[in-house]
Amino acid sequence: MKAIALDDERPALDIIDAFCSRIDSVDLVKTFTRTGEARLYLETNPVDLIFLDINMPKESGLDFSKSIPRQTLVIFTTAYSEYALESYEVEAVDYLLKPYTFDRFDKAVQRAHSRWHNRHKTDNPETAEPKQLFFRADYGLVKVTVADIIFIEGLDNYLKIHLREAPPVVLRLTLKAMLDELPAGKFIRVHRSFIVAFDKIQSIRSKLILIGDEEIPIGSSYEKEFFSLFMK
């Protein structure tokens, strides 16, 4: 992964640079102390990952993260724990609280690399669609076979992946971020709290999707898109 780092304190950038030099999966190509300089660089030099301090002068890291391309992964680095919830809401990969250890930094990079790898399986077009997805859970990686996913349920700051012939997997992730990881056209969000696999739908009654013993509601704001795709 090609990465940049953005922090208004040079010693913090030096730590990120030193840590990145020990990890093969990330290439730190540039560091910045100002958001304006970083934004100009990104206009002509897209990257996969940004290490981003939140407490920046003039423009916060949170605001900066909202202005960059959605596919760019972000790991926040900050000395302030109170921003953790906001970082989750903008789909950050991880939230590193200073001072962090190399092991903690490495875990965050592994999580970013897993998400990046899931998005960029394009070496062979015939196998570009992922068969397995890997997610960070309990300081380890969990493998989920895409074909086994029945539906996904949002639970506050977590989601539950319901699987065929296996216990559900619970992750700290948003439904929006999860939908980005799934193969396009095979899954659809039908409610603010549910994503379903098209091929697992058994029947529809009124505004309920029936999958086995489960009844999944179709939200009014998702109804039009769902039926336009389902009736094709």
Side-chain angles (χ1 to χ4, degrees), residues 44-105:
T44 54
N45 301 275
V47 299
D48 304 304
L49 173 64
I50 301 178
F51 299 97
L52 181 58
D53 184 21
I54 290 181
N55 191 27
M56 297 287 294
K58 295 186 178 179
E59 180 183 22
S60 74
L62 285 166
D63 289 337
F64 179 83
S65 71
K66 297 173 184 177
S67 70
I68 60 177
R70 189 169 61 92
Q71 67 269 23
T72 306
L73 302 172
V74 174
I75 295 175
F76 282 115
T77 61
T78 181
Y80 302 93
S81 60
E82 60 265 28
Y83 296 112
L85 181 58
E86 290 179 79
S87 73
Y88 176 72
E89 291 173 349
V90 296
E91 313 293 354
V93 173
D94 212 334
Y95 185 92
L96 298 178
L97 191 60
K98 299 175 182 177
Y100 44 82
T101 65
F102 171 74
D103 285 345
R104 181 67 182 86
F105 182 89

Side-chain angles (χ1 to χ4, degrees), residues 2-229:
K2 187 179 294 185
I4 64 170
L6 181 58
D7 198 300
D8 62 332
E9 297 181 355
R10 179 55 60 179
L13 292 173
D14 291 340
I15 291 172
I16 293 173
D17 190 13
F19 283 178
C20 284
S21 68
R22 299 168 59 183
I23 303 174
D24 293 336
S25 62
V26 63
D27 177 19
L28 186 68
V29 295
K30 200 84 173 175
T31 60
F32 300 92
T33 56
R34 297 180 180 179
T35 55
E37 295 173 346
R39 184 175 285 106
L40 284 174
Y41 179 83
L42 291 173
E43 287 179 359
T44 54
N45 301 275
V47 299
D48 304 304
L49 173 64
I50 301 178
F51 299 97
L52 181 58
D53 184 21
I54 290 181
N55 191 27
M56 297 287 294
K58 295 186 178 179
E59 180 183 22
S60 74
L62 285 166
D63 289 337
F64 179 83
S65 71
K66 297 173 184 177
S67 70
I68 60 177
R70 189 169 61 92
Q71 67 269 23
T72 306
L73 302 172
V74 174
I75 295 175
F76 282 115
T77 61
T78 181
Y80 302 93
S81 60
E82 60 265 28
Y83 296 112
L85 181 58
E86 290 179 79
S87 73
Y88 176 72
E89 291 173 349
V90 296
E91 313 293 354
V93 173
D94 212 334
Y95 185 92
L96 298 178
L97 191 60
K98 299 175 182 177
Y100 44 82
T101 65
F102 171 74
D103 285 345
R104 181 67 182 86
F105 182 89
D106 186 38
K107 286 184 173 69
V109 172
Q110 287 179 31
R111 184 177 185 182
H113 187 260
S114 175
R115 189 177 296 185
W116 175 85
H117 186 260
N118 287 339
R119 290 181 181 177
H120 294 84
K121 292 182 179 179
T122 56
D123 291 338
N124 182 349
E126 294 182 357
T127 59
E129 188 176 285
K131 294 183 179 180
Q132 283 87 30
L133 298 175
F134 295 86
F135 299 99
R136 175 69 58 184
D138 298 327
Y139 302 101
L141 287 177
V142 174
K143 181 176 72 172
V144 175
T145 301
V146 174
D148 288 342
I149 299 175
I150 302 171
F151 68 95
I152 301 156
E153 180 182 5
L155 303 168
D156 295 327
N157 293 334
Y158 294 84
L159 58 79
K160 181 186 287 187
I161 304 174
H162 295 262
L163 301 169
R164 180 177 57 189
E165 299 179 358
V169 173
V170 178
L171 303 171
R172 185 173 176 84
L173 198 67
T174 64
L175 284 174
K176 180 178 180 295
M178 182 67 191
L179 195 58
D180 288 341
E181 304 290 343
L182 295 168
K186 295 194 173 182
F187 293 84
I188 185 170
R189 189 165 183 176
V190 298
H191 187 275
R192 62 185 180 86
S193 299
F194 292 98
I195 294 170
V196 299
F198 265 116
D199 64 350
K200 305 300 190 301
I201 297 175
Q202 295 175 333
S203 62
I204 299 171
R205 186 176 62 219
S206 184
K207 291 187 179 181
L208 291 175
I209 295 170
L210 306 181
I211 304 177
D213 296 330
E214 300 287 346
E215 296 184 345
I216 299 169
I218 302 172
S220 57
S221 58
Y222 300 89
E223 182 179 357
K224 183 177 180 181
E225 181 184 3
F226 171 73
F227 282 107
S228 67
L229 294 172

